[in-house]
Amino acid sequence: MALTKAAIAEMLFEELGLNKREAKEFVEEFFEQVRQALEEGNDVKLSGFGNFILRNKSERPGRNPKTGEEIPISARRVVTFRPGQKLKARVEAYAGSQQQ
Amino acid sequence: MSSNSSITKSDLIEALAKKQSHLAFKDVELAVKGMLEKMSRELSSGERIEIRGFGSFSLHFRPARLGRNPKSGDAVALRGKHVPHFKPGKELRERVNAINEQNKPDSD
């Protein structure tokens, strides 16, 4: 099962002794702070984990995949994630189902 | 492109400590580090992370390929590997792009 906010809060409760309400609030506030920083135009760099980087994309031609009709994709600001060295190394070691 | 200012982990810890003033600074620090460790651990055990309103993290598989040693030019067999992937959620996408939404000529 995927890791959710609830499971992260549970970990803060069990391992750090925050009470359940504090833990839930903390997790919510953590992600809100990251969203806010990005919204205000800041990159967010979490060493050991990775960097959330803003990119400005200019308008480009697109297509409605259903009708094939051409519609421009408007200029926009997007977030990308660049995993840090440490996280990349840990994930690389994962021998999942797709590897033979 | 844009030269952004950036926020680091310690900036984030400080901001959270201000907001959660009932928690000791040390606990905020431990909580942030604990959260990131938990997320890293889950991802590297092949588990997805799904944070509503923020986004999801998952693993993408990069198949084995023939690479090259940039110095000698020799071919090197590289094994398949997994890399972390992040897909921003709807709320994050919209808030980050709000700056453009405001001066859109016409939206349908």
Coordinates of all heavy atoms in Angstrom, one line a residue, chain A residues 1-5 8 11-12 16 22 25-26 29-35 37-39 41-47 49 52 54-56 75-77 79 81 83 87 90-92 94 96 98-99, chain B residues 1-2 4-9 12 15-16 19-20 22 31 34-35 37-38 40-42 44-54 57 59 61 80-82 84 86 88 91-92 95-97 100:
Chain A
M1 N 0.8 -1.2 0.0 CA 0.0 0.0 0.0 C 0.9 1.3 0.0 O 1.9 1.3 0.6 CB -0.9 0.0 1.2 CG -2.2 0.6 1.0 SD -3.1 0.9 2.6 CE -2.0 1.9 3.4
A2 N 0.4 2.2 -0.7 CA 1.2 3.5 -0.8 C 1.3 4.2 0.5 O 0.5 4.1 1.3 CB 0.6 4.4 -1.9
L3 N 2.5 4.9 0.7 CA 2.6 5.8 1.8 C 1.8 7.0 1.7 O 1.9 7.7 0.7 CB 4.1 6.1 2.0 CG 4.5 7.0 3.2 CD1 4.4 6.2 4.5 CD2 5.9 7.5 3.0
T4 N 1.0 7.3 2.7 CA 0.1 8.5 2.7 C 0.4 9.4 3.9 O 1.2 9.1 4.7 CB -1.4 8.0 2.9 OG1 -1.5 7.4 4.1 CG2 -1.8 7.1 1.7
K5 N -0.2 10.6 3.9 CA -0.1 11.5 5.0 C -0.4 10.8 6.3 O 0.3 11.0 7.3 CB -0.9 12.7 4.8 CG -0.4 13.7 3.8 CD -1.2 15.0 3.7 CE -2.4 14.9 2.9 NZ -3.0 16.2 2.5
I8 N 2.5 8.7 7.5 CA 3.6 9.6 8.0 C 3.3 10.1 9.4 O 4.2 10.1 10.2 CB 3.9 10.7 7.0 CG1 4.3 10.1 5.6 CG2 5.0 11.6 7.5 CD1 4.5 11.2 4.5
M11 N 3.9 7.6 12.0 CA 5.3 7.4 12.3 C 5.7 8.5 13.3 O 6.5 8.2 14.2 CB 6.1 7.5 11.0 CG 7.6 7.4 11.1 SD 8.5 8.9 11.5 CE 8.1 9.9 10.1
L12 N 5.3 9.7 13.1 CA 5.7 10.8 14.0 C 5.1 10.6 15.4 O 5.7 10.9 16.4 CB 5.2 12.2 13.5 CG 5.8 12.7 12.2 CD1 5.2 14.0 11.8 CD2 7.3 12.9 12.3
L16 N 8.3 9.7 17.4 CA 8.7 10.9 18.0 C 7.9 11.4 19.1 O 8.1 12.4 19.8 CB 8.8 12.0 16.9 CG 10.0 11.8 16.0 CD1 9.9 12.7 14.7 CD2 11.3 12.2 16.7
E22 N -1.2 16.6 16.8 CA 0.0 17.4 16.4 C 0.6 16.8 15.2 O 1.1 17.5 14.3 CB 1.0 17.3 17.5 CG 0.7 18.2 18.7 CD 1.6 17.9 19.9 OE1 2.3 16.8 19.9 OE2 1.7 18.7 20.8
E25 N -1.3 17.5 12.0 CA -1.1 18.9 11.7 C 0.3 19.2 11.1 O 0.4 19.9 10.2 CB -1.3 19.7 13.0 CG -1.9 21.1 12.8 CD -2.1 21.7 14.2 OE1 -3.2 21.4 14.8 OE2 -1.3 22.4 14.7
F26 N 1.3 18.5 11.7 CA 2.6 18.7 11.3 C 2.9 18.3 9.8 O 3.5 19.0 9.0 CB 3.6 18.0 12.2 CG 5.0 18.4 12.0 CD1 5.6 19.4 12.7 CD2 5.8 17.7 11.0 CE1 6.9 19.8 12.5 CE2 7.1 18.1 10.8 CZ 7.7 19.1 11.5
E29 N 1.2 20.7 7.5 CA 1.9 22.0 7.5 C 3.2 21.9 6.7 O 3.6 22.8 6.0 CB 2.2 22.5 8.9 CG 2.5 23.9 9.0 CD 1.5 24.9 8.4 OE1 0.3 24.7 8.6 OE2 1.9 25.7 7.6
F30 N 3.9 20.7 6.8 CA 5.1 20.5 6.1 C 4.9 20.6 4.6 O 5.6 21.4 3.9 CB 5.7 19.1 6.4 CG 6.9 18.7 5.5 CD1 8.2 19.0 5.9 CD2 6.7 18.0 4.4 CE1 9.2 18.6 5.1 CE2 7.8 17.6 3.6 CZ 9.0 17.9 4.0
F31 N 3.9 19.9 4.1 CA 3.7 20.0 2.6 C 3.1 21.3 2.2 O 3.4 21.8 1.1 CB 2.7 18.8 2.2 CG 3.4 17.5 2.3 CD1 3.1 16.6 3.2 CD2 4.4 17.2 1.4 CE1 3.7 15.3 3.3 CE2 5.1 16.0 1.4 CZ 4.8 15.0 2.4
E32 N 2.4 22.0 3.1 CA 1.9 23.3 2.8 C 3.0 24.3 2.7 O 3.0 25.1 1.8 CB 0.9 23.8 3.9 CG 0.3 25.2 3.7 CD -0.3 25.5 2.3 OE1 -0.7 24.5 1.7 OE2 -0.3 26.7 1.9
Q33 N 4.0 24.2 3.5 CA 5.2 25.1 3.5 C 5.9 24.9 2.1 O 6.4 25.9 1.5 CB 6.2 24.8 4.6 CG 5.6 25.3 6.0 CD 5.5 26.8 6.1 OE1 6.3 27.5 5.5 NE2 4.5 27.3 6.8
V34 N 6.0 23.7 1.7 CA 6.7 23.4 0.4 C 5.9 24.0 -0.7 O 6.5 24.7 -1.6 CB 7.0 21.9 0.2 CG1 7.6 21.6 -1.1 CG2 7.8 21.3 1.3
R35 N 4.6 23.8 -0.7 CA 3.7 24.3 -1.8 C 3.8 25.8 -1.8 O 3.9 26.4 -2.9 CB 2.3 23.9 -1.5 CG 1.9 22.6 -2.0 CD 0.3 22.4 -2.0 NE -0.2 22.5 -0.6 CZ -0.7 21.5 0.1 NH1 -0.7 20.3 -0.5 NH2 -1.2 21.7 1.3
A37 N 6.3 27.8 -0.7 CA 7.5 28.3 -1.2 C 7.6 28.2 -2.7 O 8.0 29.2 -3.4 CB 8.7 27.4 -0.6
L38 N 7.1 27.1 -3.3 CA 7.1 27.0 -4.7 C 6.1 28.0 -5.4 O 6.5 28.6 -6.4 CB 6.6 25.5 -5.1 CG 7.6 24.4 -4.8 CD1 7.0 23.1 -4.8 CD2 8.9 24.5 -5.7
E39 N 5.0 28.2 -4.8 CA 4.0 29.1 -5.3 C 4.6 30.5 -5.4 O 4.3 31.3 -6.3 CB 2.8 29.1 -4.4 CG 1.6 30.0 -4.7 CD 0.5 29.8 -3.8 OE1 0.7 29.4 -2.6 OE2 -0.7 30.1 -4.2
G41 N 7.6 31.2 -5.9 CA 8.6 31.3 -6.9 C 10.0 30.8 -6.4 O 11.0 31.0 -7.0
N42 N 10.0 30.1 -5.3 CA 11.3 29.6 -4.8 C 11.4 28.1 -5.1 O 10.4 27.3 -5.1 CB 11.3 29.7 -3.2 CG 11.1 31.1 -2.8 OD1 12.0 31.9 -3.0 ND2 10.0 31.3 -2.1
D43 N 12.6 27.7 -5.4 CA 12.9 26.2 -5.5 C 13.0 25.7 -4.1 O 13.3 26.5 -3.2 CB 14.3 26.0 -6.2 CG 14.2 26.4 -7.7 OD1 13.1 26.5 -8.2 OD2 15.3 26.6 -8.3
V44 N 12.8 24.5 -3.9 CA 12.9 23.9 -2.5 C 13.9 22.8 -2.6 O 13.8 21.8 -3.3 CB 11.5 23.4 -2.0 CG1 11.7 22.7 -0.7 CG2 10.5 24.5 -1.9
K45 N 15.0 23.0 -1.8 CA 16.1 22.0 -1.8 C 16.2 21.3 -0.5 O 16.5 21.8 0.5 CB 17.4 22.7 -2.1 CG 17.3 23.5 -3.4 CD 18.6 24.1 -3.9 CE 18.5 24.6 -5.3 NZ 19.7 25.3 -5.8
L46 N 15.9 20.0 -0.6 CA 15.9 19.1 0.6 C 17.1 18.2 0.5 O 17.0 17.1 -0.1 CB 14.6 18.4 0.8 CG 13.4 19.3 0.8 CD1 12.1 18.5 0.8 CD2 13.4 20.3 2.0
S47 N 18.2 18.5 1.1 CA 19.5 17.7 0.9 C 19.2 16.3 1.4 O 18.6 16.1 2.4 CB 20.6 18.4 1.6 OG 20.4 18.4 3.0
F49 N 17.4 14.2 0.0 CA 16.2 13.8 -0.6 C 16.1 14.2 -2.1 O 16.1 13.4 -3.0 CB 14.9 14.3 0.2 CG 13.6 13.7 -0.3 CD1 13.3 12.4 0.0 CD2 12.7 14.5 -1.0 CE1 12.1 11.8 -0.4 CE2 11.5 13.9 -1.4 CZ 11.2 12.6 -1.1
F52 N 13.0 20.4 -5.5 CA 11.8 20.7 -6.3 C 12.2 22.0 -7.0 O 12.4 23.0 -6.4 CB 10.6 20.9 -5.4 CG 10.2 19.7 -4.7 CD1 10.6 19.4 -3.4 CD2 9.3 18.8 -5.3 CE1 10.2 18.2 -2.8 CE2 8.9 17.6 -4.7 CZ 9.4 17.3 -3.4
L54 N 11.4 24.9 -10.1 CA 10.4 25.5 -11.0 C 11.0 25.7 -12.4 O 12.1 26.1 -12.5 CB 10.0 26.9 -10.4 CG 9.3 26.8 -9.1 CD1 9.2 28.2 -8.4 CD2 7.9 26.3 -9.3
R55 N 10.1 25.5 -13.3 CA 10.5 25.7 -14.7 C 9.4 26.5 -15.4 O 8.3 26.2 -15.3 CB 10.7 24.4 -15.5 CG 11.8 23.6 -14.9 CD 12.3 22.6 -16.0 NE 13.7 22.3 -15.6 CZ 14.8 23.0 -15.9 NH1 14.7 24.1 -16.6 NH2 15.9 22.6 -15.5
N56 N 9.9 27.5 -16.2 CA 8.9 28.3 -17.0 C 8.9 27.7 -18.4 O 9.9 27.6 -19.1 CB 9.3 29.7 -17.0 CG 9.1 30.4 -15.7 OD1 8.0 30.3 -15.1 ND2 10.2 31.0 -15.2
A75 N 1.7 29.0 -22.1 CA 2.9 29.2 -21.3 C 2.5 28.8 -19.9 O 1.4 29.2 -19.4 CB 3.4 30.6 -21.4
R76 N 3.4 28.2 -19.2 CA 3.1 27.8 -17.8 C 4.3 27.6 -17.0 O 5.4 27.4 -17.5 CB 2.2 26.6 -17.7 CG 2.8 25.3 -18.3 CD 1.8 24.2 -18.5 NE 0.8 24.7 -19.4 CZ -0.5 24.1 -19.5 NH1 -0.8 23.2 -18.6 NH2 -1.3 24.6 -20.3
R77 N 4.1 27.7 -15.6 CA 5.2 27.4 -14.7 C 4.9 26.0 -14.1 O 3.8 25.7 -13.6 CB 5.2 28.4 -13.6 CG 6.4 28.3 -12.7 CD 6.7 29.5 -11.9 NE 5.7 29.7 -10.8 CZ 5.8 30.7 -9.9 NH1 6.7 31.6 -10.0 NH2 4.9 30.7 -9.0
V79 N 6.5 22.4 -11.8 CA 7.4 21.9 -10.8 C 8.1 20.7 -11.3 O 7.3 19.8 -11.7 CB 6.8 21.5 -9.4 CG1 7.8 21.3 -8.4 CG2 5.8 22.5 -9.0
F81 N 11.0 17.5 -10.1 CA 11.7 17.0 -8.9 C 13.0 16.4 -9.4 O 13.0 15.5 -10.3 CB 10.8 15.9 -8.2 CG 11.5 15.3 -7.0 CD1 11.9 16.0 -5.9 CD2 11.9 13.9 -7.1 CE1 12.5 15.4 -4.8 CE2 12.5 13.3 -6.0 CZ 12.8 14.0 -4.9
P83 N 15.8 14.1 -7.9 CA 16.2 13.4 -6.7 C 17.7 13.6 -6.4 O 18.5 13.8 -7.3 CB 16.0 11.9 -7.1 CG 15.9 11.9 -8.6 CD 15.4 13.2 -9.0
L87 N 19.2 9.7 -2.4 CA 18.0 9.0 -2.7 C 18.2 8.1 -3.9 O 17.7 7.0 -4.0 CB 16.9 10.0 -2.8 CG 15.5 9.4 -3.2 CD1 15.0 8.5 -2.1 CD2 14.5 10.5 -3.5
R90 N 19.9 5.0 -3.1 CA 19.1 4.0 -2.3 C 18.1 3.3 -3.2 O 17.8 2.2 -3.1 CB 18.4 4.7 -1.2 CG 19.4 5.1 -0.1 CD 18.7 5.9 1.0 NE 17.8 5.1 1.8 CZ 17.2 5.6 2.9 NH1 17.4 6.8 3.3 NH2 16.5 4.8 3.7
V91 N 17.5 4.1 -4.1 CA 16.5 3.6 -5.0 C 17.1 2.6 -6.1 O 16.5 1.6 -6.4 CB 15.7 4.8 -5.7 CG1 15.0 4.3 -6.9 CG2 14.7 5.4 -4.7
E92 N 18.3 3.0 -6.5 CA 18.9 2.2 -7.5 C 19.1 0.7 -7.0 O 19.1 -0.2 -7.8 CB 20.3 2.8 -7.9 CG 20.6 2.7 -9.3 CD 21.9 3.6 -9.6 OE1 21.8 4.8 -9.5 OE2 22.9 3.0 -9.9
Y94 N 17.2 -0.9 -5.3 CA 16.0 -1.7 -5.3 C 15.9 -2.7 -6.4 O 15.9 -2.2 -7.6 CB 14.8 -0.8 -5.3 CG 13.4 -1.5 -5.4 CD1 13.0 -2.3 -4.4 CD2 12.7 -1.3 -6.6 CE1 11.8 -3.0 -4.6 CE2 11.5 -1.9 -6.7 CZ 11.0 -2.8 -5.7 OH 9.8 -3.4 -5.9
G96 N 13.4 -4.6 -8.0 CA 12.0 -4.8 -8.1 C 11.6 -5.9 -9.1 O 12.5 -6.5 -9.7
Q98 N 10.5 -5.6 -12.1 CA 10.8 -5.5 -13.5 C 12.3 -5.9 -13.8 O 12.6 -6.0 -15.0 CB 10.7 -4.0 -13.8 CG 9.2 -3.6 -14.0 CD 9.1 -2.1 -13.8 OE1 9.4 -1.6 -12.7 NE2 8.7 -1.4 -14.8
Q99 N 13.1 -6.2 -12.8 CA 14.4 -6.6 -13.1 C 14.5 -8.1 -13.1 O 13.9 -8.7 -12.3 CB 15.3 -6.0 -12.0 CG 16.6 -5.5 -12.5 CD 17.4 -4.8 -11.4 OE1 16.9 -4.6 -10.3 NE2 18.6 -4.3 -11.8
Chain B
M1 N 17.4 30.3 -17.9 CA 16.0 30.5 -17.5 C 15.9 31.3 -16.2 O 16.9 32.0 -15.9 CB 15.2 29.2 -17.5 CG 14.4 29.1 -18.7 SD 13.1 27.9 -18.9 CE 13.3 26.6 -18.0
S2 N 14.9 31.1 -15.5 CA 14.7 32.0 -14.3 C 15.7 31.6 -13.2 O 16.0 30.5 -13.0 CB 13.3 31.7 -13.7 OG 13.1 30.4 -13.4
N4 N 16.0 31.4 -9.7 CA 15.1 31.5 -8.5 C 15.9 31.6 -7.3 O 17.0 31.1 -7.2 CB 14.3 30.2 -8.5 CG 13.3 30.2 -9.6 OD1 12.7 31.1 -10.0 ND2 13.2 29.0 -10.2
S5 N 15.3 32.1 -6.2 CA 15.9 32.0 -4.9 C 15.4 30.6 -4.5 O 14.5 30.0 -5.0 CB 15.3 33.0 -4.0 OG 13.9 33.1 -4.2
S6 N 16.1 30.0 -3.5 CA 15.6 28.7 -3.0 C 15.5 28.6 -1.5 O 16.1 29.4 -0.8 CB 16.4 27.6 -3.6 OG 17.8 27.9 -3.4
I7 N 14.7 27.7 -1.1 CA 14.4 27.4 0.3 C 15.1 26.1 0.6 O 15.0 25.1 -0.2 CB 12.9 27.2 0.5 CG1 12.1 28.5 0.1 CG2 12.5 26.7 1.9 CD1 12.2 29.6 1.1
T8 N 15.8 26.0 1.7 CA 16.5 24.8 2.1 C 15.8 24.1 3.2 O 14.8 24.6 3.7 CB 18.0 25.1 2.6 OG1 17.8 25.9 3.8 CG2 18.8 25.8 1.5
K9 N 16.3 22.9 3.6 CA 15.7 22.1 4.6 C 15.7 23.0 5.9 O 14.7 23.0 6.6 CB 16.5 20.8 4.8 CG 15.7 19.8 5.6 CD 16.6 18.6 6.0 CE 17.2 17.9 4.9 NZ 18.1 16.8 5.3
L12 N 13.0 25.5 6.0 CA 11.7 24.9 6.2 C 11.5 24.5 7.6 O 10.4 24.8 8.2 CB 11.7 23.6 5.3 CG 10.4 23.0 5.0 CD1 9.5 23.9 4.2 CD2 10.6 21.7 4.2
A15 N 10.7 27.8 9.5 CA 9.3 28.2 9.2 C 8.3 27.3 10.0 O 7.3 27.9 10.5 CB 9.0 28.2 7.7
L16 N 8.6 26.0 10.0 CA 7.7 25.1 10.7 C 7.7 25.4 12.2 O 6.7 25.3 12.9 CB 8.0 23.7 10.4 CG 7.5 23.2 9.0 CD1 8.2 21.9 8.6 CD2 6.0 22.9 9.1
K19 N 5.6 28.3 13.0 CA 4.1 27.9 12.9 C 3.7 27.0 14.1 O 2.6 27.1 14.6 CB 3.8 27.2 11.6 CG 3.7 28.2 10.5 CD 2.4 28.1 9.9 CE 2.1 29.4 9.0 NZ 0.7 29.4 8.5
Q20 N 4.5 26.0 14.4 CA 4.2 25.0 15.4 C 4.9 25.4 16.7 O 5.7 24.6 17.2 CB 4.6 23.6 14.9 CG 4.2 23.3 13.5 CD 2.7 22.8 13.5 OE1 2.3 21.9 14.1 NE2 1.9 23.5 12.7
H22 N 4.2 25.3 19.7 CA 4.1 24.5 20.9 C 5.1 23.4 20.8 O 5.3 22.7 21.8 CB 2.7 23.9 20.9 CG 2.3 23.2 19.7 ND1 2.0 23.8 18.5 CD2 2.2 21.9 19.5 CE1 1.7 22.9 17.6 NE2 1.8 21.7 18.2
A31 N 11.4 15.8 13.4 CA 10.2 15.4 12.7 C 10.4 15.6 11.1 O 10.1 14.7 10.4 CB 9.0 16.3 13.1
G34 N 12.8 13.0 10.1 CA 12.1 11.7 10.2 C 11.2 11.5 9.0 O 11.1 10.4 8.4
M35 N 10.5 12.5 8.6 CA 9.6 12.4 7.5 C 10.3 12.1 6.2 O 9.9 11.2 5.4 CB 8.8 13.7 7.3 CG 7.7 14.0 8.2 SD 6.8 15.5 7.8 CE 6.1 15.2 6.3
E37 N 13.2 10.8 5.9 CA 13.8 9.4 6.0 C 12.8 8.4 5.7 O 13.0 7.4 5.0 CB 14.5 9.2 7.4 CG 14.9 7.8 7.7 CD 15.9 7.2 6.6 OE1 16.6 8.0 6.0 OE2 16.0 6.0 6.5
K38 N 11.6 8.6 6.3 CA 10.5 7.6 6.1 C 10.1 7.5 4.6 O 10.0 6.5 4.0 CB 9.3 8.1 6.9 CG 8.0 7.3 6.6 CD 8.0 6.1 7.5 CE 6.6 5.3 7.3 NZ 6.7 4.0 7.8
S40 N 12.1 8.4 2.0 CA 13.2 7.7 1.2 C 13.1 6.2 1.4 O 13.3 5.5 0.4 CB 14.5 8.2 1.7 OG 14.6 9.6 1.6
R41 N 12.9 5.8 2.6 CA 12.9 4.4 2.9 C 11.8 3.6 2.1 O 12.0 2.6 1.6 CB 12.8 4.1 4.4 CG 13.3 2.8 4.9 CD 13.0 2.6 6.4 NE 13.3 3.7 7.2 CZ 12.5 4.1 8.2 NH1 11.4 3.4 8.6 NH2 12.8 5.2 8.9
E42 N 10.6 4.2 2.2 CA 9.5 3.6 1.5 C 9.7 3.5 0.0 O 9.5 2.5 -0.6 CB 8.2 4.4 1.7 CG 7.7 4.3 3.2 CD 7.1 3.0 3.6 OE1 6.3 2.4 2.7 OE2 7.3 2.5 4.7
S44 N 12.6 3.5 -1.6 CA 13.6 2.6 -2.0 C 13.3 1.1 -1.6 O 14.0 0.2 -2.0 CB 15.0 3.0 -1.4 OG 14.8 3.4 0.0
S45 N 12.1 0.9 -1.0 CA 11.7 -0.5 -0.9 C 10.6 -0.7 -2.0 O 9.9 -1.8 -1.9 CB 11.2 -0.8 0.5 OG 10.0 0.0 0.7
G46 N 10.5 0.2 -2.9 CA 9.6 0.0 -4.0 C 8.1 0.4 -3.8 O 7.3 0.2 -4.6
E47 N 7.9 1.1 -2.7 CA 6.6 1.6 -2.3 C 6.3 3.0 -2.9 O 7.2 3.8 -3.0 CB 6.5 1.7 -0.8 CG 5.1 1.6 -0.3 CD 4.5 0.3 -0.6 OE1 4.8 -0.7 0.0 OE2 3.5 0.3 -1.4
R48 N 5.1 3.3 -3.4 CA 4.7 4.6 -3.8 C 4.5 5.5 -2.7 O 4.2 5.0 -1.6 CB 3.4 4.5 -4.7 CG 3.5 3.9 -6.0 CD 2.1 3.8 -6.6 NE 1.4 5.0 -6.6 CZ 1.5 5.9 -7.6 NH1 2.3 5.7 -8.6 NH2 0.8 7.0 -7.6
I49 N 4.5 6.8 -2.9 CA 4.1 7.8 -1.9 C 3.0 8.6 -2.5 O 3.2 9.1 -3.6 CB 5.3 8.7 -1.5 CG1 6.5 7.9 -1.0 CG2 4.8 9.7 -0.4 CD1 7.7 8.7 -0.7
E50 N 1.9 8.8 -1.9 CA 0.8 9.5 -2.4 C 0.3 10.6 -1.4 O -0.3 10.3 -0.4 CB -0.4 8.6 -2.8 CG -0.1 7.8 -4.0 CD -1.2 6.8 -4.4 OE1 -2.3 7.0 -3.7 OE2 -1.0 6.0 -5.2
I51 N 0.6 11.8 -1.7 CA 0.3 12.9 -0.8 C -0.8 13.8 -1.5 O -0.5 14.5 -2.5 CB 1.5 13.8 -0.5 CG1 2.7 13.0 0.0 CG2 1.1 14.9 0.5 CD1 2.4 12.2 1.3
R52 N -2.0 13.6 -1.1 CA -3.1 14.4 -1.8 C -2.9 15.9 -1.7 O -2.5 16.4 -0.7 CB -4.5 14.0 -1.1 CG -5.6 14.9 -1.7 CD -6.9 14.1 -1.9 NE -6.8 12.7 -2.0 CZ -7.7 11.9 -1.5 NH1 -8.8 12.4 -0.9 NH2 -7.6 10.6 -1.7
G53 N -3.0 16.5 -2.9 CA -2.9 18.0 -3.0 C -1.4 18.4 -3.2 O -1.1 19.5 -3.5
F54 N -0.5 17.4 -3.1 CA 0.9 17.7 -3.3 C 1.4 17.0 -4.5 O 1.9 17.6 -5.5 CB 1.7 17.4 -2.0 CG 3.2 17.8 -2.1 CD1 3.5 19.1 -1.9 CD2 4.1 16.9 -2.4 CE1 4.8 19.5 -2.1 CE2 5.5 17.2 -2.5 CZ 5.8 18.6 -2.4
F57 N 5.1 10.1 -5.5 CA 6.4 9.7 -5.9 C 6.3 8.2 -6.2 O 5.6 7.5 -5.5 CB 7.4 9.8 -4.7 CG 7.6 11.3 -4.3 CD1 6.7 11.8 -3.3 CD2 8.7 12.0 -4.7 CE1 6.9 13.1 -2.9 CE2 8.9 13.3 -4.3 CZ 8.0 13.9 -3.4
L59 N 8.6 4.8 -8.6 CA 9.8 4.4 -9.2 C 9.6 4.2 -10.7 O 8.6 3.6 -11.1 CB 10.4 3.2 -8.6 CG 10.7 3.2 -7.1 CD1 11.5 1.9 -6.7 CD2 11.6 4.4 -6.8
F61 N 11.5 2.5 -14.1 CA 12.5 1.5 -14.4 C 13.3 2.0 -15.6 O 12.7 2.3 -16.6 CB 11.9 0.1 -14.6 CG 13.0 -0.9 -14.8 CD1 13.9 -1.3 -13.8 CD2 13.1 -1.5 -16.1 CE1 14.8 -2.2 -14.0 CE2 14.1 -2.5 -16.3 CZ 15.0 -2.9 -15.3
G80 N 20.0 -2.5 -15.6 CA 18.7 -1.8 -15.4 C 18.7 -1.3 -14.0 O 19.3 -1.8 -13.1
K81 N 18.0 -0.2 -13.8 CA 17.9 0.4 -12.5 C 16.6 1.2 -12.3 O 15.9 1.5 -13.3 CB 19.1 1.3 -12.2 CG 19.1 2.5 -13.2 CD 20.2 3.5 -12.8 CE 20.1 4.7 -13.7 NZ 21.2 5.7 -13.5
H82 N 16.2 1.4 -11.1 CA 15.1 2.2 -10.8 C 15.5 3.7 -10.5 O 16.5 3.9 -9.9 CB 14.3 1.6 -9.6 CG 13.6 0.4 -10.0 ND1 14.2 -0.8 -9.9 CD2 12.3 0.2 -10.5 CE1 13.3 -1.8 -10.4 NE2 12.2 -1.2 -10.7
P84 N 13.8 7.5 -9.0 CA 12.6 8.1 -8.4 C 11.9 9.1 -9.4 O 12.6 9.7 -10.1 CB 13.2 8.9 -7.2 CG 14.6 8.5 -7.0 CD 15.0 8.0 -8.4
F86 N 8.6 12.0 -9.6 CA 7.6 12.8 -8.9 C 6.6 13.3 -9.9 O 6.9 13.9 -10.9 CB 8.2 13.9 -8.1 CG 7.2 14.9 -7.5 CD1 6.4 14.5 -6.4 CD2 7.1 16.2 -8.0 CE1 5.5 15.3 -5.8 CE2 6.2 17.1 -7.4 CZ 5.4 16.6 -6.3
P88 N 3.5 16.0 -9.8 CA 2.8 17.0 -9.0 C 1.3 16.8 -9.0 O 0.8 16.4 -10.0 CB 3.1 18.3 -9.6 CG 4.1 18.1 -10.7 CD 4.2 16.6 -11.0
E91 N -3.5 20.4 -6.9 CA -3.4 21.7 -6.2 C -2.1 22.3 -6.4 O -1.9 23.5 -6.6 CB -3.7 21.4 -4.7 CG -3.8 22.8 -3.9 CD -3.8 22.6 -2.4 OE1 -4.1 21.5 -1.9 OE2 -3.5 23.6 -1.8
L92 N -1.0 21.5 -6.3 CA 0.3 22.1 -6.4 C 0.5 22.6 -7.9 O 1.0 23.7 -8.0 CB 1.4 21.0 -6.2 CG 2.8 21.4 -6.3 CD1 3.2 22.6 -5.4 CD2 3.8 20.2 -6.0
R95 N -1.4 25.9 -8.1 CA -0.9 27.0 -7.3 C 0.4 27.6 -7.9 O 0.7 28.8 -7.9 CB -0.7 26.6 -5.9 CG -2.1 26.6 -5.1 CD -2.0 26.1 -3.7 NE -1.1 26.9 -2.9 CZ -0.9 26.7 -1.6 NH1 -1.5 25.6 -1.0 NH2 -0.1 27.4 -0.9
V96 N 1.2 26.6 -8.4 CA 2.5 27.0 -8.9 C 2.3 27.8 -10.2 O 3.1 28.7 -10.6 CB 3.4 25.8 -9.2 CG1 4.4 26.0 -10.3 CG2 4.0 25.3 -7.9
N97 N 1.3 27.5 -10.9 CA 1.0 28.2 -12.2 C 0.1 29.4 -12.1 O -0.3 30.0 -13.1 CB 0.5 27.1 -13.2 CG 0.5 27.7 -14.6 OD1 1.4 28.3 -15.0 ND2 -0.6 27.4 -15.4
N100 N 0.4 32.6 -14.1 CA 0.0 32.6 -15.5 C -1.5 32.6 -15.7 O -2.0 33.2 -16.6 CB 0.6 31.5 -16.2 CG 2.1 31.5 -16.3 OD1 2.6 32.6 -16.6 ND2 2.8 30.4 -16.1

